[in-house]
Amino acid sequence: MIVNKIVRVRIAPSPTGDAHVGHARTALYDYLFAKQRGGTFVLRIDDTDTARNTATSEEGVYRGLRWLGLEWDEGPDKGGAYGPYRQSERLDIYGHYVNELLASGKAYECYCTAAELEAERQAQIEAKDHPRYSGKCCNLTAEDKGHLQAEGRVPTVRLKVISGIVGFTDLVRGWIEADTSLMGDFIILKSSGIPVYNFATVIDDHLMEMTHVTRGAEHIANTFNQLLTYKALGWTAPHFAHFSIMLNEDRSKMSKRKGATFLGQYAEMGYLPEAMLNFLAFLGWSPGGTEEEIYTLEQLQKLFSLERCTVSNAVFDIKKLDWINAKWIRILSPEDLASRLVPFLRKADLLGEDVDMEFLTQVTRLIQERLPRLDEAATACTTFLREPAVPVDELRQLLGDNDAQVCISAVIDSLESVDWDEAEIEQAIRRIQEQLGWSTKVYYMFLRLAVMGSKVSPPLFSSMAVLGKEKVLSRMQRTAASLY
RNA sequence: GGCGCGUUAGUCUAGUGGUCAGGACGCCGCCCUCUCAAGGCGGAAUCACGGGUUCGAGUCCCGUACGCGCUACCA
């Protein structure tokens, strides 16, 4: 038991891709747990898979976590008392413990080749036996080893597995155990001299004084190996907690091949980090005792608890994300939202370098409550930022026998003398409708098409107010001209 | 195949032996309304299956099915 220690939790991604939403949720839970206990949140890069990791994806991990606002206290880029924080820079440390296990006879060198191991495994499967390493290199003499080395073989190191039951109390699932006799001695050091993840993680978690190892359920099976390693080293294992796994809509594990799985993709699609965080928090956890679903990181930090984490897999439902995103968009101040819209509008070529933020903010106020994602601002804002084409066909179809010229000149006449203010505009426009006697539906749809160029837009009076008298009148004149 | 973990509506979940099984997303309908949203109101839809235990089971036990994970010199 670890008592009276400052809580230390880590997120240990392998830099083999961009920041994945599954990792993001694990990171969120790790962060929430650490922070709510006044603990330390550590970022460690588990890059022992030299064949797959890349420098750019390490950057991607940083970017993703920071986008969500999950700032770590210690990590490769900011140091700390327990560094280095990249496993590839800790090789000598692992070597030291491998040697210690070798010296005490708890581990041994294995000279089997991959082909030999594979053949052994196949034979076991055919014999309907549980495939596991036979342990045949366990008692090699110095002479044997000499011969094998002369053949050019480079050994791996395996930990001797002692038969019996190993188990642990998972903080979200309760007691979990397994029979190690089914396991076989497993590799802790690859022939390349680089340790296997399962070994390195034990060394690091211990040396970095992690009190809680909280991670995805795909690591449950690894935990047994790690427990054996802790035991061999004479160390006390930390507490473990395993979260549910996130699934695609077809219930397969979220992978890089299906749909959007990287944080960066969601940012590009116009999801707010606040919304993503909020959504992820509820995918595998719930506060209980309340029906409120909108929370900030700070609020989640107070509410979170491992005990209330869900134990069954959760499907990533983008519809729900959309809903939360729309909620968050409406929570933002118009000024804040407007500035977040700028890159999206630039991308759509609706804005240049110089931006009239005051005007953009006014437009934002109008579209804010009908904007599900930031990337849709391009469509929603276009009529305010660019002269729309006159929708002649739609206008004609709508008008029928109504005389557009009469209507437009009446409206223009009236609007010309109006103080450009929403209430004034409304008054003038309503008055013309009474004079003309047009049906409400046709009248307003006609004006909408004439001024906004579309059947869908924010409310007419406020839109006109924001657009300005000059543009409104010229667009109406243009429409009248197009209708001849 | 073996081992592990799981299974409340299409999806996320509440629920810890006695509730009309609650909420949310989505879906459908109505209201509001100058369109679209937002908002309000209402509706359809759930305890995987089979055995136990118990006066009583979504809740406890066993089995089956299904899903997922692991079974690597990946993490």
Side-chain angles (χ1 to χ4, degrees):
Chain A
M1 255 322 251
I2 298 164
V3 288
N4 295 329
K5 273 197 171 181
I6 291 172
V7 167
R8 290 177 58 79
V9 183
R10 101 277 127 124
I11 176 76
S14 60
T16 53
D18 242 338
H20 188 273
V21 286
H23 287 145
R25 194 202 52 173
T26 301
L28 207 213
Y29 289 179
D30 291 345
Y31 175 93
L32 293 175
F33 179 71
K35 290 298 171 180
Q36 95 177 164
R37 313 263 287 229
T40 307
F41 177 54
V42 178
L43 172 64
R44 187 176 73 219
I45 299 293
D46 282 9
D47 55 353
T48 52
D49 186 357
T50 47
R52 296 199 306 162
N53 62 55
T54 65
T56 51
S57 48
E58 187 178 312
E59 288 301 320
V61 168
Y62 295 168
R63 215 180 315 118
L65 292 178
R66 289 204 163 110
W67 180 66
L68 288 174
L70 304 179
E71 189 65 43
W72 48 99
D73 302 304
E74 299 170 19
D77 61 330
K78 52 193 337 178
Y82 298 83
Y85 293 90
R86 244 185 301 258
Q87 291 192 326
S88 59
E89 294 165 11
R90 300 172 63 82
L91 265 23
D92 52 332
I93 300 173
Y94 308 127
H96 169 81
Y97 290 103
V98 170
N99 287 335
E100 186 181 307
L101 290 171
L102 243 18
S104 63
K106 289 174 177 165
Y108 60 90
E109 291 179 320
C110 169
Y111 286 84
C112 296
T113 63
E116 287 166 351
L117 293 171
E118 185 52 32
E120 193 177 294
R121 187 176 306 122
Q122 284 309 322
Q124 286 169 331
I125 289 170
E126 273 169 43
K128 300 230 188 279
D129 200 2
H130 190 77
R132 54 169 157 345
Y133 180 63
S134 66
K136 67 180 173 186
C137 293
C138 184
N139 296 311
L140 256 28
T141 63
E143 196 184 344
D144 295 334
K145 291 182 186 179
H147 289 314
L148 291 160
Q149 275 164 16
E151 286 176 34
R153 296 183 185 226
V154 183
T156 60
V157 176
R158 311 187 89 112
L159 187 79
K160 271 188 207 167
V161 171
I162 297 152
S163 290
I165 302 293
V166 276
F168 62 100
T169 301
D170 189 292
L171 265 23
V172 329
R173 290 158 199 263
W175 180 254
I176 301 176
E177 63 178 28
D179 185 351
T180 64
S181 63
L182 269 9
M183 228 183 249
D185 302 338
F186 56 88
I187 292 174
I188 57 175
L189 191 74
K190 305 179 204 175
S191 54
S192 61
I194 294 170
V196 131
Y197 157 79
N198 255 340
F199 185 72
T201 203
V202 167
I203 305 296
D204 291 341
D205 288 339
H206 179 261
L207 260 27
M208 293 181 178
E209 297 188 42
M210 294 302 152
T211 55
H212 301 260
V213 171
T214 50
R215 72 242 290 201
E218 63 270 23
H219 287 287
I220 291 177
N222 289 328
T223 309
F224 303 119
N225 296 252
Q226 292 168 203
L227 248 13
L228 254 20
T229 308
Y230 278 106
K231 199 177 276 184
L233 257 6
W235 293 343
T236 303
H239 296 296
F240 292 100
H242 295 275
F243 307 125
S244 62
I245 291 170
M246 278 169 53
L247 267 29
N248 289 306
E249 271 178 81
D250 65 358
R251 302 205 75 85
S252 62
K253 189 183 177 188
M254 272 197 114
S255 79
K256 295 160 190 176
R257 286 170 211 91
K258 288 178 185 164
T261 53
F262 299 128
L263 246 26
Q265 293 175 281
Y266 287 92
E268 274 177 35
M269 284 189 280
Y271 289 101
L272 262 28
E274 291 92 335
M276 184 53 95
L277 216 51
N278 198 154
F279 171 69
L280 254 18
F282 275 77
L283 212 61
W285 170 85
S286 77
T290 170
E291 265 148 28
E292 183 56 51
E293 296 199 73
I294 303 300
Y295 293 99
T296 62
L297 219 210
E298 293 69 31
Q299 292 169 324
L300 289 169
Q301 198 175 307
K302 291 197 190 95
L303 284 172
F304 185 79
S305 73
L306 292 177
E307 298 72 40
R308 294 202 59 84
C309 282
T310 281
V311 102
S312 58
N313 296 169
V315 174
F316 188 98
D317 179 14
I318 201 158
K319 289 266 180 58
K320 181 88 176 232
L321 209 209
D322 284 338
W323 176 77
I324 292 183
N325 200 238
K327 278 273 197 216
W328 269 103
I329 283 178
R330 278 173 268 140
I331 289 169
L332 261 33
S333 72
E335 291 76 13
D336 185 0
L337 214 210
S339 66
R340 299 199 202 202
L341 254 25
V342 171
F344 289 89
L345 296 174
R346 281 208 180 112
K347 194 176 166 193
D349 235 13
L350 290 168
L351 287 180
E353 275 311 301
D354 290 328
V355 180
D356 179 349
M357 284 310 292
E358 202 182 320
F359 177 68
L360 220 208
T361 303
Q362 286 185 304
V363 173
T364 301
R365 266 184 244 274
L366 297 181
I367 63 162
Q368 183 160 22
E369 108 180 344
R370 53 212 102 218
L371 195 66
R373 280 184 274 121
L374 303 186
D375 64 341
E376 297 203 3
T379 313
C381 290
T382 173
T383 190
F384 294 97
L385 300 171
R386 183 188 282 165
E387 195 82 354
V390 179
V392 179
D393 292 344
E394 282 177 311
L395 279 161
R396 291 227 164 90
Q397 199 183 355
L398 174 79
L399 283 163
D401 295 334
N402 296 294
D403 191 333
Q405 306 304 332
V406 170
C407 177
I408 285 183
S409 43
V411 172
I412 288 177
D413 275 354
S414 166
L415 251 26
E416 251 165 358
S417 57
V418 155
D419 262 354
W420 210 250
D421 161 78
E422 188 181 329
E424 297 284 320
I425 296 169
E426 173 166 2
Q427 215 174 53
I429 288 192
R430 286 197 189 283
R431 206 167 333 138
I432 303 294
Q433 190 207 348
E434 282 167 31
Q435 289 170 18
L436 259 38
W438 284 27
S439 79
T440 305
K441 295 260 180 215
V442 172
Y443 180 68
Y444 284 102
M445 189 50 83
F446 171 66
L447 292 183
R448 186 182 312 283
L449 283 168
V451 178
M452 312 301 284
S454 165
K455 279 182 151 172
V456 175
S457 83
L460 243 196
F461 309 129
S462 46
S463 294
M464 287 175 144
V466 168
L467 221 35
K469 186 190 273 190
E470 197 182 322
K471 277 189 186 154
V472 170
L473 295 185
S474 78
R475 286 184 184 188
M476 295 192 77
Q477 273 152 356
R478 208 166 50 105
T479 300
S482 306
L483 251 22
Y484 276 120

Short mmCIF file of all heavy atoms in Angstrom, two decimals, chain A residues 54-82:
data_model
loop_
_atom_site.label_atom_id
_atom_site.label_comp_id
_atom_site.label_asym_id
_atom_site.label_seq_id
_atom_site.Cartn_x
_atom_site.Cartn_y
_atom_site.Cartn_z
N THR A 54 7.86 8.37 -34.50
CA THR A 54 8.38 9.48 -35.30
C THR A 54 8.40 10.76 -34.47
O THR A 54 7.63 10.90 -33.51
CB THR A 54 7.48 9.76 -36.52
OG1 THR A 54 6.21 10.20 -36.05
CG2 THR A 54 7.29 8.52 -37.36
N ALA A 55 9.29 11.65 -34.82
CA ALA A 55 9.42 12.90 -34.08
C ALA A 55 8.18 13.78 -34.26
O ALA A 55 7.74 14.45 -33.35
CB ALA A 55 10.66 13.64 -34.52
N THR A 56 7.62 13.74 -35.46
CA THR A 56 6.48 14.63 -35.71
C THR A 56 5.27 14.23 -34.88
O THR A 56 4.48 15.08 -34.48
CB THR A 56 6.07 14.63 -37.19
OG1 THR A 56 5.92 13.29 -37.62
CG2 THR A 56 7.10 15.34 -38.03
N SER A 57 5.13 12.94 -34.61
CA SER A 57 3.95 12.59 -33.83
C SER A 57 4.14 12.94 -32.36
O SER A 57 3.17 13.11 -31.64
CB SER A 57 3.58 11.12 -34.01
OG SER A 57 4.68 10.30 -33.87
N GLU A 58 5.38 13.07 -31.91
CA GLU A 58 5.58 13.55 -30.54
C GLU A 58 5.09 15.00 -30.46
O GLU A 58 4.41 15.38 -29.51
CB GLU A 58 7.06 13.47 -30.16
CG GLU A 58 7.30 13.81 -28.71
CD GLU A 58 8.76 13.69 -28.29
OE1 GLU A 58 9.38 12.66 -28.61
OE2 GLU A 58 9.27 14.62 -27.64
N GLU A 59 5.37 15.76 -31.48
CA GLU A 59 4.86 17.13 -31.55
C GLU A 59 3.33 17.11 -31.56
O GLU A 59 2.68 17.93 -30.93
CB GLU A 59 5.36 17.84 -32.81
CG GLU A 59 6.83 18.19 -32.79
CD GLU A 59 7.18 19.11 -31.62
OE1 GLU A 59 6.37 20.02 -31.32
OE2 GLU A 59 8.23 18.90 -31.00
N GLY A 60 2.79 16.16 -32.30
CA GLY A 60 1.34 16.03 -32.39
C GLY A 60 0.71 15.76 -31.04
O GLY A 60 -0.36 16.27 -30.72
N VAL A 61 1.38 14.98 -30.23
CA VAL A 61 0.90 14.68 -28.89
C VAL A 61 0.86 15.96 -28.05
O VAL A 61 -0.13 16.26 -27.39
CB VAL A 61 1.80 13.63 -28.20
CG1 VAL A 61 1.48 13.54 -26.72
CG2 VAL A 61 1.62 12.27 -28.87
N TYR A 62 1.94 16.71 -28.11
CA TYR A 62 1.99 17.98 -27.37
C TYR A 62 0.85 18.90 -27.79
O TYR A 62 0.14 19.46 -26.97
CB TYR A 62 3.30 18.74 -27.64
CG TYR A 62 4.56 18.07 -27.15
CD1 TYR A 62 5.81 18.53 -27.55
CD2 TYR A 62 4.52 16.99 -26.27
CE1 TYR A 62 6.98 17.94 -27.12
CE2 TYR A 62 5.68 16.38 -25.83
CZ TYR A 62 6.91 16.86 -26.26
OH TYR A 62 8.06 16.28 -25.84
N ARG A 63 0.74 19.04 -29.11
CA ARG A 63 -0.25 19.97 -29.65
C ARG A 63 -1.66 19.57 -29.22
O ARG A 63 -2.45 20.39 -28.80
CB ARG A 63 -0.14 19.99 -31.19
CG ARG A 63 -0.39 21.35 -31.79
CD ARG A 63 -0.26 21.34 -33.33
NE ARG A 63 0.91 20.62 -33.80
CZ ARG A 63 0.87 19.54 -34.57
NH1 ARG A 63 -0.28 19.02 -34.93
NH2 ARG A 63 1.99 18.96 -34.98
N GLY A 64 -1.92 18.26 -29.33
CA GLY A 64 -3.25 17.77 -28.99
C GLY A 64 -3.60 18.01 -27.53
O GLY A 64 -4.68 18.51 -27.21
N LEU A 65 -2.69 17.66 -26.65
CA LEU A 65 -2.97 17.83 -25.22
C LEU A 65 -3.12 19.31 -24.86
O LEU A 65 -3.98 19.68 -24.07
CB LEU A 65 -1.86 17.20 -24.38
CG LEU A 65 -1.76 15.67 -24.44
CD1 LEU A 65 -0.59 15.18 -23.59
CD2 LEU A 65 -3.05 15.02 -23.95
N ARG A 66 -2.30 20.13 -25.48
CA ARG A 66 -2.36 21.57 -25.17
C ARG A 66 -3.63 22.18 -25.73
O ARG A 66 -4.21 23.09 -25.13
CB ARG A 66 -1.12 22.28 -25.72
CG ARG A 66 0.12 21.92 -24.93
CD ARG A 66 1.22 22.98 -25.02
NE ARG A 66 2.17 22.78 -23.93
CZ ARG A 66 3.43 22.34 -24.10
NH1 ARG A 66 3.89 22.07 -25.30
NH2 ARG A 66 4.21 22.18 -23.05
N TRP A 67 -4.06 21.68 -26.87
CA TRP A 67 -5.30 22.18 -27.47
C TRP A 67 -6.44 21.97 -26.48
O TRP A 67 -7.30 22.83 -26.29
CB TRP A 67 -5.58 21.45 -28.79
CG TRP A 67 -6.84 21.87 -29.50
CD1 TRP A 67 -7.09 23.09 -30.06
CD2 TRP A 67 -8.00 21.07 -29.73
NE1 TRP A 67 -8.34 23.10 -30.63
CE2 TRP A 67 -8.93 21.88 -30.44
CE3 TRP A 67 -8.37 19.76 -29.42
CZ2 TRP A 67 -10.19 21.41 -30.84
CZ3 TRP A 67 -9.61 19.30 -29.82
CH2 TRP A 67 -10.51 20.12 -30.52
N LEU A 68 -6.41 20.82 -25.82
CA LEU A 68 -7.47 20.51 -24.87
C LEU A 68 -7.26 21.25 -23.54
O LEU A 68 -8.15 21.29 -22.70
CB LEU A 68 -7.52 19.01 -24.60
CG LEU A 68 -8.06 18.14 -25.72
CD1 LEU A 68 -7.91 16.67 -25.37
CD2 LEU A 68 -9.53 18.46 -25.99
N GLY A 69 -6.09 21.78 -23.37
CA GLY A 69 -5.81 22.48 -22.11
C GLY A 69 -5.30 21.56 -21.01
O GLY A 69 -5.33 21.91 -19.84
N LEU A 70 -4.83 20.39 -21.41
CA LEU A 70 -4.31 19.44 -20.42
C LEU A 70 -2.80 19.62 -20.29
O LEU A 70 -2.01 18.87 -20.83
CB LEU A 70 -4.64 18.01 -20.84
CG LEU A 70 -6.12 17.71 -21.08
CD1 LEU A 70 -6.31 16.26 -21.52
CD2 LEU A 70 -6.93 17.99 -19.82
N GLU A 71 -2.41 20.64 -19.57
CA GLU A 71 -0.99 20.95 -19.43
C GLU A 71 -0.36 20.03 -18.39
O GLU A 71 -0.90 19.84 -17.31
CB GLU A 71 -0.83 22.42 -19.02
CG GLU A 71 0.60 22.92 -19.05
CD GLU A 71 1.20 22.95 -20.47
OE1 GLU A 71 0.52 23.37 -21.41
OE2 GLU A 71 2.37 22.52 -20.60
N TRP A 72 0.78 19.46 -18.72
CA TRP A 72 1.46 18.56 -17.81
C TRP A 72 2.47 19.29 -16.95
O TRP A 72 2.94 20.37 -17.31
CB TRP A 72 2.14 17.43 -18.59
CG TRP A 72 2.95 17.89 -19.78
CD1 TRP A 72 4.29 18.07 -19.84
CD2 TRP A 72 2.45 18.23 -21.07
NE1 TRP A 72 4.67 18.51 -21.08
CE2 TRP A 72 3.58 18.62 -21.86
CE3 TRP A 72 1.18 18.24 -21.65
CZ2 TRP A 72 3.45 19.02 -23.19
CZ3 TRP A 72 1.06 18.65 -22.98
CH2 TRP A 72 2.18 19.03 -23.74
N ASP A 73 2.77 18.70 -15.81
CA ASP A 73 3.70 19.34 -14.87
C ASP A 73 5.14 18.95 -15.15
O ASP A 73 6.06 19.71 -14.87
CB ASP A 73 3.33 18.95 -13.44
CG ASP A 73 1.90 19.34 -13.10
OD1 ASP A 73 1.57 20.53 -13.23
OD2 ASP A 73 1.10 18.44 -12.74
N GLU A 74 5.32 17.73 -15.63
CA GLU A 74 6.66 17.26 -15.96
C GLU A 74 6.57 16.56 -17.31
O GLU A 74 5.57 15.92 -17.60
CB GLU A 74 7.15 16.23 -14.92
CG GLU A 74 7.23 16.77 -13.50
CD GLU A 74 7.49 15.66 -12.46
OE1 GLU A 74 7.95 14.58 -12.85
OE2 GLU A 74 7.19 15.90 -11.28
N GLY A 75 7.62 16.68 -18.09
CA GLY A 75 7.59 16.03 -19.40
C GLY A 75 8.87 16.30 -20.16
O GLY A 75 9.70 17.09 -19.69
N PRO A 76 9.03 15.68 -21.31
CA PRO A 76 10.28 15.80 -22.07
C PRO A 76 10.62 17.25 -22.39
O PRO A 76 11.79 17.62 -22.37
CB PRO A 76 9.99 15.05 -23.37
CG PRO A 76 8.79 14.23 -23.11
CD PRO A 76 8.03 14.86 -22.00
N ASP A 77 9.61 18.05 -22.67
CA ASP A 77 9.88 19.42 -23.09
C ASP A 77 9.99 20.40 -21.94
O ASP A 77 10.42 21.52 -22.11
CB ASP A 77 8.76 19.90 -24.03
CG ASP A 77 7.41 19.90 -23.34
OD1 ASP A 77 7.21 19.06 -22.44
OD2 ASP A 77 6.57 20.72 -23.69
N LYS A 78 9.61 19.96 -20.73
CA LYS A 78 9.72 20.92 -19.62
C LYS A 78 10.48 20.36 -18.43
O LYS A 78 10.63 21.04 -17.42
CB LYS A 78 8.35 21.47 -19.22
CG LYS A 78 7.30 20.43 -18.95
CD LYS A 78 5.87 20.98 -18.86
CE LYS A 78 5.72 22.44 -18.52
NZ LYS A 78 4.29 22.84 -18.52
N GLY A 79 10.98 19.15 -18.56
CA GLY A 79 11.82 18.61 -17.51
C GLY A 79 11.07 18.24 -16.25
O GLY A 79 9.85 18.07 -16.27
N GLY A 80 11.80 18.11 -15.14
CA GLY A 80 11.23 17.67 -13.89
C GLY A 80 12.28 16.87 -13.15
O GLY A 80 13.36 16.58 -13.67
N ALA A 81 11.97 16.51 -11.92
CA ALA A 81 12.95 15.85 -11.07
C ALA A 81 13.14 14.37 -11.37
O ALA A 81 13.99 13.71 -10.79
CB ALA A 81 12.53 16.03 -9.61
N TYR A 82 12.32 13.84 -12.28
CA TYR A 82 12.37 12.40 -12.52
C TYR A 82 12.78 12.04 -13.94
O TYR A 82 12.53 10.95 -14.41
CB TYR A 82 11.01 11.76 -12.21
CG TYR A 82 10.56 11.92 -10.78
CD1 TYR A 82 9.94 13.08 -10.33
CD2 TYR A 82 10.77 10.89 -9.85
CE1 TYR A 82 9.52 13.23 -9.02
CE2 TYR A 82 10.36 11.01 -8.53
CZ TYR A 82 9.73 12.19 -8.12
OH TYR A 82 9.33 12.33 -6.82
#
